Amino acid sequence: MIKAGSLPPGGYDEMFSAPGAAQPHYAAYWRWLEGVSMDTVERKRKEADLLFHRVGITFNVYGAEEGTERLIPFDSVPRIIPASEWTLLERGLLQRVRAMNLFLHDIYHEQEILRAGRVPADQVLANAHYQPCMQGIDLPNEVYAHIAGVDLIRNSDGDYYVLEDNLRTPSGVSYMIENRRMMMRLYPELFARHRVAPVDHYPALLHEMLEQSCHVTHPCVVLLTPGRYNSAYFEHAFLARQMGIELVEGADLFTRNGIVYMRTTAGPQQVDVIYRRIDDDFLDPLAFNPDSMLGVPGLLSAYREGNVVLANAIGTGVADDKSIYPYVPDMIRFYLDEEPILKNVPTWLCRNPDDLNHVLANLDELVVKEVHGAGGYGMLIGPASTREQIARFREQLLATPENYIAQPTLSLSTCPVFVEQGIAPRHVDLRPFVLSGREVRLVPGGLTRVAMKEGSLVVNSSQGGGTKDTWVLEDGAC
Amino acid sequence: MLSRTASELYWMSRHLERAENMARMLDVAWNLSLIPFAATVEDEVAAPLKITGTLDRYIARYDTVQINNVMHFFSLDEENPGSIYNCIRSARENAHAVRGRITSEVWESINATWIELQNIRRFGLIAMGASAFMDWVKERSHLFRGAAYGTMIRNDAFRFIRIGTFIERADNTARILDVKHQIHAGQGNSAVDYYRWNALLRSVGAYEAYRELYTDRVTAEQIAEMLIFRAEVPRSLRSCVEMLAELLPAVEGDAGLDAKRLVAVQFARLQYGDIHHVFGIGLHEYLTDFLRRINELADTIQSAYLELV
């Protein structure tokens, strides 16, 4: 008999509406779980660990001993999303990504949204991620963010909110697929009891989208990785293998007369599409960071001539920047003439004096983030911080207010995880992956990240977060 | 196929083959060291050092040639670049760099070997037992080969894996034969010799093969003939080069014409060679010349296919 831990007061739990009372979409799972012994769970957990290790589903930790590979903790209680909720999420995600691609096309062409005054021009044009070299370049299908990862959370009201958009090189999709494979291996009987929408066709959709992203009929598509010491190397190799394309490093590519080639055992071969998992700054040492050993000299000029497609495009970072985030709902209204389906988290821009004053007065209640930060670094969670930490952060904030935004501390919904004594609630978020080619698509699901520490709100894998399999149910029943 | 990928695959299989050969060689040295009456046990114990050309490096580290130190030096010593430990580590690094191009079963076999090896190293060779360790290494090598053979598409990736295996194996067989023959030269036909010839056959996994092919007693000439010319013996020079002569022409493109020609010439020399001719010019001289040629072939493969220029 499984013991369910108590629910945090005032929070929203994905599984239980009250202690021991499962929500309708979790009813079948909870019935199953009540008949499972903790010994079985423990045995399966060990099996999963062994398998993940052997398969090498690991990520490299920066700053740790070189080449250190760690497992991301995997929890086998699924995060279940009922069909009705997913339909809404899907519509909202497609709408949001469509608008952001229109925004990127606009700011690198006519800049109508700036002229209309809907987004302050200096915030775009003076943004570190705005790339003047992209101005006036026409891209196939006018797509910039071919792959977008949108981080969603659920507040105590049970509503979904977009926490941030990732339009540069979002990662994590391999865990979405591997977690599903692991769950099907560990608990096949669960899949007989639930109609779970499949996610493992993601690589096929991705490949199709990449092939469609250029005008060549049978394009040569490659995946460009920084190499085996990158934290997401497992994912790069995984996706290349699943798509049947070459996994290349910068040194494998060269340019001649504006054409990109890869060095093969049969001589140079032309490359048409590069799914790159390298940041803008490292792509081409001639154009960006001259010290980069990861990139390809001459790549930018080949790109600007239209001889190669980069996915994602250069300069997408200007749209997923935290200082641009508050304007996304307005982008949706401006370009699509629709009301946003997904909510934004209320955000204060510390560059505005009024906002800054509000933030300074309420530091102990707010979450303050660096505009360009990622991975959960460089942020302050007011309610969870000591007075000293807040005081130190206040100084940083006053020194460079334009580097920060602030948001209310959202509670983040919880979902149970297995603990020694049974199950206990932990905070989760959700990152679905949206693909934009000739059309915009996504697979039903995403990566659910979970803060494994009790009470913690930090779900990032670099800071001890774990993952869960995410089930979108196909039944209309719930 | 990417040159870098081909290079990683080629070296991955060379490193694994090297680890397996090392295990066979050590297994024999270990067993011979247990025979108390052998007067020249020291030569046998030192043989792996001579075969791999690491005597100086060893002496700098351990002073005296003594079986336990030799075993450690070649099995788990991190300071010896040619130790089984380092071969497997390198192979795993090669595999990691191209895991998108090998099947998950091949990758998992190598990765699991590496994970297990680290555990073995933590407790030491004595804890596991030398023979058990060598058996384990051979088994892991068989597993890798089986996984590659059973799951990989027959494309250039597969070919470069096989090419690496046979270059390394040909080099190893020639070295073992050369060094062992020098140790045994001019010896009589005592019981000790009997053990030693058998040991040589075991170190290249050819003991049973010899028994089947030659019914009479073991002689130096027959062993040499078998390990150089016999097509039926999987570790003979002829077999290795025959595989290379089959694999290289199948590699796509015209980049490797030199390598393809060299391997054809070398194969003809083995196909139409004759053991009396070999002993006429001297076995040591013949093998030295063979090693020079096989290394020339390896260098040519390297520059034609594997280097990023």
Side-chain angles (χ1 to χ4, degrees):
Chain A
M1 178 73 189
I2 294 279
K3 248 175 60 185
S6 58
L7 298 171
Y12 182 89
D13 192 77
E14 301 287 339
M15 184 157 159
F16 296 110
S17 46
Q23 303 213 46
H25 58 282
Y26 264 106
Y29 180 78
W30 177 232
R31 269 198 306 279
W32 171 85
L33 189 61
E34 282 185 304
V36 170
S37 81
M38 276 317 284
D39 287 350
T40 310
V41 171
E42 181 55 20
R43 190 163 44 77
K44 301 266 184 183
R45 195 190 58 73
K46 283 194 178 133
E47 189 185 337
D49 264 11
L50 187 74
L51 286 168
F52 275 131
H53 248 304
R54 228 180 58 196
V55 176
I57 304 180
T58 53
F59 76 110
N60 303 330
V61 185
Y62 296 124
E65 190 188 332
E66 194 174 334
T68 304
E69 294 160 26
R70 279 196 212 155
L71 287 185
I72 297 186
F74 167 72
D75 177 75
S76 59
V77 178
R79 192 259 184 83
I80 304 181
I81 301 173
S84 54
E85 261 174 35
W86 179 255
T87 312
L88 191 74
L89 279 180
E90 185 175 29
R91 276 179 45 223
L93 288 164
L94 296 177
Q95 177 195 53
R96 189 170 177 101
V97 171
R98 227 175 248 136
M100 296 184 90
N101 269 313
L102 289 166
F103 170 73
L104 283 161
H105 179 77
D106 184 28
I107 60 161
Y108 288 121
H109 288 81
E110 310 302 324
Q111 304 184 336
E112 280 168 20
I113 199 165
L114 306 185
R115 281 189 278 144
R118 302 288 282 271
V119 178
D122 67 310
Q123 230 164 298
V124 171
L125 304 178
N127 190 301
H129 296 290
Y130 172 77
Q131 297 283 5
C133 64
M134 290 298 289
Q135 199 63 46
I137 305 281
D138 293 326
L139 298 182
N141 307 321
E142 299 184 355
V143 169
Y144 287 74
H146 302 79
I147 301 113
V150 181
D151 288 350
L152 298 162
I153 56 156
R154 221 164 179 194
N155 198 8
S156 45
D157 53 15
D159 279 350
Y160 286 98
Y161 288 80
V162 175
L163 190 62
E164 64 181 39
D165 306 284
N166 298 279
L167 306 183
R168 284 170 258 181
T169 55
S171 64
V173 78
S174 56
Y175 299 102
M176 169 181 85
I177 298 166
E178 285 290 358
N179 287 352
R180 174 64 53 82
R181 287 184 186 167
M182 186 59 72
M183 278 298 276
M184 293 183 84
R185 185 162 174 166
L186 295 180
Y187 299 108
E189 69 272 23
L190 281 175
F191 290 84
R193 294 166 187 238
H194 295 87
R195 275 173 54 193
V196 182
V199 292
D200 61 0
H201 56 302
Y202 176 85
L205 287 186
L206 176 62
H207 191 220
E208 201 176 296
M209 182 276 287
L210 290 168
E211 286 199 317
Q212 285 176 1
S213 70
C214 82
H215 299 309
V216 179
T217 332
H218 292 294
C220 171
V221 183
V222 299
L223 195 160
L224 176 60
T225 172
R228 74 190 88 157
Y229 299 113
N230 183 266
S231 65
Y233 177 71
F234 159 73
E235 176 156 308
H236 306 162
F238 174 87
L239 289 174
R241 171 110 200 132
Q242 295 288 317
M243 291 191 281
I245 64 174
E246 288 287 357
L247 177 66
V248 303
E249 296 178 13
D252 297 322
L253 302 179
F254 67 96
T255 59
R256 194 190 295 149
N257 301 327
I259 308 276
V260 181
Y261 297 93
M262 60 178 171
R263 302 171 213 269
T264 78
T265 51
Q269 184 185 344
Q270 185 173 346
V271 172
D272 303 300
V273 180
I274 302 176
Y275 173 26
R276 50 94 170 210
R277 297 292 295 259
I278 292 183
D279 290 341
D280 285 358
D281 282 349
F282 297 97
L283 273 179
D284 181 348
L286 299 182
F288 305 107
N289 184 349
D291 298 328
S292 169
M293 304 290 288
L294 305 174
V296 185
L299 181 58
L300 178 67
S301 118
Y303 182 59
R304 285 174 52 95
E305 284 174 47
N307 294 332
V308 69
V309 169
L310 292 174
N312 291 350
I314 293 174
T316 54
V318 65
D320 73 5
D321 191 284
K322 292 189 182 72
S323 69
I324 297 293
Y325 163 87
Y327 300 101
V328 176
D330 255 354
M331 289 177 200
I332 295 170
R333 294 185 191 104
F334 185 80
Y335 296 111
L336 302 174
D337 202 17
E338 294 171 8
E339 269 309 298
I341 298 164
L342 295 173
K343 293 183 187 175
N344 251 29
V345 179
T347 302
W348 292 277
L349 295 171
C350 299
R351 66 202 303 276
N352 301 336
D354 289 353
D355 287 15
L356 179 61
N357 286 334
H358 174 86
V359 172
L360 288 172
N362 297 285
L363 268 181
D364 53 340
E365 286 172 17
L366 299 173
V367 177
V368 190
K369 297 175 182 172
E370 268 183 61
V371 171
H372 304 303
Y377 293 103
M379 62 190 280
L380 175 86
I381 300 176
S385 302
T386 62
R387 214 172 276 173
E388 291 74 41
Q389 283 169 324
I390 292 178
R392 239 177 296 135
F393 210 88
R394 177 187 297 270
E395 283 170 28
Q396 290 175 35
L397 188 53
L398 283 168
T400 51
E402 66 279 7
N403 274 353
Y404 296 94
I405 57 142
Q407 294 169 335
T409 312
L410 299 174
S411 66
L412 261 72
S413 63
T414 54
C415 185
V417 299
F418 283 117
V419 292
E420 222 165 288
Q421 298 300 319
I423 54 173
R426 295 286 184 272
H427 294 291
V428 293
D429 76 350
L430 175 66
R431 175 183 288 183
F433 296 87
V434 184
L435 300 175
S436 303
R438 273 181 220 138
E439 49 187 331
V440 188
R441 295 197 283 188
L442 75 165
V443 297
L447 176 67
T448 293
R449 297 185 297 178
V450 50
M452 298 302 282
K453 262 187 281 174
E454 188 173 358
S456 168
L457 293 169
V458 183
V459 295
N460 304 78
S461 52
S462 49
Q463 303 210 22
T467 65
K468 284 171 164 295
D469 189 14
T470 309
W471 294 2
V472 172
L473 296 185
E474 282 183 335
D475 316 85
C478 0
Chain B
M1 155 178 225
L2 285 179
S3 295
R4 183 178 53 81
T5 306
S7 172
E8 303 280 3
L9 293 171
Y10 170 84
W11 283 107
M12 172 186 80
S13 63
R14 278 198 77 160
H15 285 130
L16 285 172
E17 180 69 21
R18 197 172 289 178
E20 181 190 336
N21 292 335
M22 189 63 72
R24 290 182 185 284
M25 210 151 45
L26 286 186
D27 203 15
V28 169
W30 173 251
N31 284 325
L32 281 175
S33 77
L34 300 177
I35 302 173
F37 53 82
T40 48
V41 151
E42 271 169 32
D43 289 337
E44 294 290 351
V45 170
L49 296 165
K50 289 187 185 138
I51 291 166
T52 55
T54 49
L55 190 58
D56 292 345
R57 189 192 296 273
Y58 172 89
I59 292 294
R61 220 165 130 58
Y62 294 98
D63 290 338
T64 57
V65 177
Q66 187 258 349
I67 185 67
N68 284 328
N69 288 342
V70 170
M71 295 298 284
H72 179 73
F73 182 67
F74 281 116
S75 56
L76 299 172
D77 193 340
E78 211 174 344
E79 304 292 318
N80 175 12
S83 68
I84 289 173
Y85 181 81
N86 278 323
C87 285
I88 290 176
R89 170 157 68 188
S90 303
R92 194 266 181 185
E93 272 177 21
N94 294 133
H96 192 217
V98 291
R99 56 178 293 182
R101 288 306 297 256
I102 48 180
T103 58
S104 45
E105 283 164 62
V106 172
W107 158 250
E108 282 173 36
S109 82
I110 296 175
N111 197 39
T113 303
W114 169 239
I115 292 170
E116 231 172 302
L117 181 61
Q118 285 168 291
N119 277 328
I120 293 173
R121 190 161 178 277
R122 208 162 294 141
F123 297 103
L125 191 61
I126 310 285
M128 184 171 186
S131 295
F133 177 71
M134 301 312 159
D135 283 348
W136 176 80
V137 174
K138 282 185 260 178
E139 249 173 58
R140 298 310 298 186
S141 180
H142 293 324
L143 185 67
F144 156 73
R145 201 173 303 114
Y149 212 83
T151 63
M152 287 201 58
I153 298 182
R154 289 344 190 221
N155 56 11
D156 281 352
F158 181 72
R159 284 181 203 110
F160 279 105
I161 289 178
R162 304 276 289 161
I163 289 169
T165 301
F166 291 111
I167 290 274
E168 184 66 29
R169 190 179 291 176
D171 178 273
N172 177 68
T173 299
R175 279 174 198 277
I176 287 193
L177 186 58
D178 191 21
V179 169
K180 294 277 179 170
H181 184 263
Q182 287 178 55
I183 297 176
H184 303 335
Q187 303 276 326
N189 288 316
S190 63
V192 177
D193 287 316
Y194 172 81
Y195 281 116
R196 288 162 143 191
W197 286 125
N198 286 352
L200 164 58
L201 289 170
R202 285 212 170 87
S203 68
V204 290
Y207 178 77
E208 285 97 343
Y210 188 92
R211 289 283 153 226
E212 198 166 327
L213 293 172
Y214 304 91
T215 45
D216 50 350
R217 69 188 180 81
V218 182
T219 70
E221 202 170 284
Q222 281 177 0
I223 287 183
E225 187 203 36
M226 183 175 90
L227 292 182
I228 295 173
F229 291 120
R230 291 300 288 250
E232 307 94 316
V233 178
R235 305 188 96 81
S236 73
L237 303 186
R238 149 106 195 227
S239 286
C240 296
V241 174
E242 183 166 11
M243 287 309 298
L244 291 169
E246 196 177 293
L247 290 160
L248 272 168
V251 172
E252 281 175 42
D254 295 330
L257 291 182
D258 284 345
K260 290 173 186 180
R261 193 183 61 250
L262 280 178
V263 78
V265 170
Q266 189 53 36
F267 180 46
R269 291 170 59 88
L270 287 163
Q271 210 175 359
Y272 305 115
D274 168 63
I275 196 65
H276 301 298
H277 168 70
V278 170
F279 276 84
I281 57 171
L283 182 61
H284 175 64
E285 287 70 22
Y286 178 86
L287 291 171
T288 306
D289 180 57
F290 176 83
L291 283 168
R292 185 184 59 72
R293 285 166 186 275
I294 202 79
N295 286 318
E296 186 189 0
L297 177 61
D299 291 345
T300 313
I301 291 171
Q302 185 77 29
S303 58
Y305 295 115
L306 311 180
E307 269 165 11
L308 301 175
V309 216

